[in-house]
Amino acid sequence: MADPNRTREALRAAMTAWAVAEVRGDQARVTLAPHPQSLARHLEAVDPAWALAWACDSVTPPVVRARLTVGGATREGLATGHTLPDARLRALADAARFFGLELPEEAQWVEYDPEDGPNTTDLDAEVEEGAAPAPRAAVPPAPPRDPQMEKARQHIQDLIEQLKAAGKAKEAAQALMRGYGESLEESRAIYKDLQAILRG
């Protein structure tokens, strides 16, 4: 079994890619994610049998699931993105979070060009220096993870699996456009929406 600390360090070292979460005019909201090639290199040293699998839940809007297995432990991430490649990166980052990797809570707004993509030059420099990119505005420290929220998220994921088995993955993806919810109440509301889709 792989050492959780070594796994976390390998994941942290691979966090060099930027995924576009959304675009508004000439601005894009980007989030830090593991670069797949870098991830392969770093995880190979931790667990030669590591594995990564992808599933596309929806093309429009792009919703992707990443299943990451390291040291016999499998974690799954689900995310949306501006494009399918962006959703893949964000789903991979979501899966990495379940291995104990702390991700920046705040997404970064950067200039965006439809041909060149997001301008992450300044953010890349911060990552290369080994520091997590600083949010553009001061934010309070992230609250500790709520075990109830994690449990609610797991219930939602279980329900998504049932919806996929029932051939309703697209409807589930549309219900998840707003994520898993920022509060327990929101998560419960999303769960109820998904239950309604399953019954319907």
Side-chain angles (χ1 to χ4, degrees):
M1 189 166 188
D3 177 357
N5 290 329
R6 284 187 66 209
T7 299
R8 205 162 35 248
E9 286 307 312
L11 290 167
R12 187 175 292 118
M15 296 291 285
T16 58
W18 293 98
V20 178
E22 66 176 307
V23 172
R24 291 186 193 167
D26 63 352
Q27 296 284 303
R29 189 167 64 90
V30 297
T31 56
L32 192 57
H35 192 286
Q37 282 83 11
S38 178
L39 183 70
R41 204 170 53 247
H42 289 290
L43 285 183
E44 188 70 30
V46 176
D47 175 15
W50 77 278
L52 175 60
W54 307 95
C56 178
D57 285 8
S58 169
V59 175
T60 309
V63 180
V64 174
R65 183 183 306 276
R67 184 182 293 264
L68 181 61
T69 303
V70 185
T74 299
R75 301 290 180 265
E76 194 170 87
L78 179 74
T80 62
H82 181 58
T83 64
L84 278 173
D86 290 315
R88 278 171 56 119
L89 286 174
R90 298 190 76 230
L92 182 53
D94 192 40
R97 188 172 62 81
F98 286 105
F99 281 95
L101 183 65
E102 289 184 23
L103 299 176
E105 293 290 326
E106 289 292 306
Q108 308 289 313
W109 285 97
V110 296
E111 292 175 358
Y112 180 80
D113 180 282
E115 290 181 15
D116 299 330
N119 179 2
T120 58
T121 308
D122 292 343
L123 300 179
D124 290 336
E126 291 175 23
V127 170
E128 281 174 22
E129 287 168 13
R136 297 299 175 237
V139 293
R145 257 187 224 298
D146 183 350
Q148 282 190 305
M149 283 294 288
E150 296 292 334
K151 202 171 181 180
R153 183 189 175 99
Q154 188 57 55
H155 287 311
I156 290 172
Q157 281 189 336
D158 293 343
L159 194 50
I160 289 167
E161 290 303 321
Q162 292 175 43
L163 285 161
K164 281 179 74 177
K168 297 182 178 181
K170 189 171 183 181
E171 295 93 323
Q174 287 169 344
L176 280 175
M177 272 304 288
R178 62 187 190 269
Y180 288 91
E182 298 296 318
S183 67
L184 206 51
E185 291 73 26
E186 283 181 26
S187 293
R188 285 181 179 140
I190 292 164
Y191 185 81
K192 284 179 185 172
D193 290 348
L194 292 171
Q195 275 185 321
I197 293 168
L198 188 61
R199 289 195 201 103

